[in-house]
Amino acid sequence: MAFTDKNTEPYSGEDLNRYIDKALQVSPPDSKIRNLSYKIIKRMFQPQLINTNKIPAKPCLFVANHAMYAVDGPIIGLPMLAEQGRFLRALSDKFMWNSINESALLNQGAVIGHPDVCSALMENGSDLLVFPGGAHEATKSTKEKYTLLWKERYGFVKLAAKHGYTIVPTAIVGPEDFYRHLVEGADLPNSLIGRALTRVGLINENTRSDLMGPIPIGLFGTLIPKPQKCYLQFGEPLDLSKYKGKRLAKKTMVNLRQQVADEIISMIQPLIDKRDAEQLQSGRIRRFLTK
């Protein structure tokens, strides 16, 4: 079974318990590689953390909009650790995980987005980061940039309520402009590249459609991201402590999720306007490189 197949489950039973124990033992990375990565991100993308005063001191669930191919993970994770001392455990798609990369991903803070894993981390008092749109939002088309594609997903609300967590709506602008799309995901199967992937078996009738994303083109036609400035704004926290241990009615879940979505949406356009205004004031070289 290929890792892109719909029914692939990398962890279950005792192996899932082993994974959870291992995830709980991870501490914030403190290494030369981490420090170098943070310096590169600060130099290239100049991420600005806005309204950090709104972030409660207690453990939180940060809920954000997603950029293509999850390039936004380090953009928020490393500055939050270096500047705010918050080690965000980012929930990631199951297709990313296998026995070879497990330790490397865990040590960077990532965890598989499994309810049991999330519950264990919340019981442990960890900060979590979730992109409810998941892979579907990370493979969206150019015309869908900076939109929320959350479908009917309520898992993050259920888990936050179950553990009495506070949700921090988070808007991210910048990473979606790292690349332009050479081929859109919807067009990939019928493209030259798609037909080649089909011949080698990476695309078949069991392949998840949300993993067929666009072909990205970055700086000078390479896969290097354009040095676009990034903005991360934190909205009004949503304290769900009164729901702890309770079973939420569907209407309540819908309302809570909409509150989070509305808060994120309300921040995105002003951040885009801020980005555009500051871009006009930036140097000629940066303006050229981000076109």
Side-chain angles (χ1 to χ4, degrees), residues 150-181:
W150 290 3
K151 295 186 175 181
E152 295 298 316
R153 293 173 175 169
Y154 300 94
F156 73 93
V157 175
K158 290 181 183 178
L159 283 167
K162 177 182 177 182
H163 295 277
Y165 252 57
T166 294
I167 292 176
V168 179
T170 307
I172 305 176
V173 164
E176 295 228 45
D177 300 299
F178 287 172
Y179 300 97
R180 64 180 179 86
H181 299 181

Side-chain angles (χ1 to χ4, degrees), residues 30-47:
D30 184 14
S31 67
K32 292 181 179 179
I33 294 178
R34 194 269 295 178
N35 293 333
L36 177 61
S37 298
Y38 169 65
K39 289 179 180 178
I40 291 173
I41 284 175
K42 286 290 286 185
R43 179 71 174 178
M44 282 192 66
F45 309 119
Q46 303 175 8

Side-chain angles (χ1 to χ4, degrees), residues 15-184:
D15 195 36
L16 178 61
N17 293 332
R18 175 201 62 80
Y19 176 92
I20 291 173
D21 289 340
K22 188 173 180 179
L24 291 174
Q25 298 304 313
V26 174
S27 56
D30 184 14
S31 67
K32 292 181 179 179
I33 294 178
R34 194 269 295 178
N35 293 333
L36 177 61
S37 298
Y38 169 65
K39 289 179 180 178
I40 291 173
I41 284 175
K42 286 290 286 185
R43 179 71 174 178
M44 282 192 66
F45 309 119
Q46 303 175 8
Q48 295 183 21
L49 302 180
I50 303 170
N51 291 345
T52 55
N53 60 300
K54 291 186 176 182
I55 303 174
K58 59 186 176 181
C60 296
L61 173 62
F62 295 82
V63 180
N65 57 299
H66 215 2
M68 185 170 68
Y69 294 132
V71 293
D72 38 19
I75 298 298
I76 182 173
L78 289 174
M80 282 292 285
L81 179 58
E83 300 172 24
Q84 298 294 315
R86 309 287 294 241
F87 182 38
L88 306 189
R89 308 304 299 273
L91 310 186
S92 58
D93 196 284
K94 62 184 181 180
F95 90 92
M96 294 177 57
W97 294 86
N98 57 60
S99 58
I100 297 174
N101 64 15
E102 177 183 284
S103 293
L105 289 176
L106 283 173
N107 289 335
Q108 295 306 311
V111 292
I112 192 169
H114 189 288
D116 292 352
V117 176
C118 299
S119 287
L121 288 169
M122 285 181 168
E123 290 173 6
N124 192 53
S126 300
D127 282 320
L128 274 69
L129 168 65
V130 63
F131 302 96
H136 180 63
E137 196 169 284
T139 55
K140 57 192 171 187
S141 65
T142 301
K143 66 180 181 181
E144 295 170 319
K145 281 186 5 176
Y146 296 114
T147 58
L148 302 184
L149 304 178
W150 290 3
K151 295 186 175 181
E152 295 298 316
R153 293 173 175 169
Y154 300 94
F156 73 93
V157 175
K158 290 181 183 178
L159 283 167
K162 177 182 177 182
H163 295 277
Y165 252 57
T166 294
I167 292 176
V168 179
T170 307
I172 305 176
V173 164
E176 295 228 45
D177 300 299
F178 287 172
Y179 300 97
R180 64 180 179 86
H181 299 181
L182 178 64
V183 178
E184 295 292 3

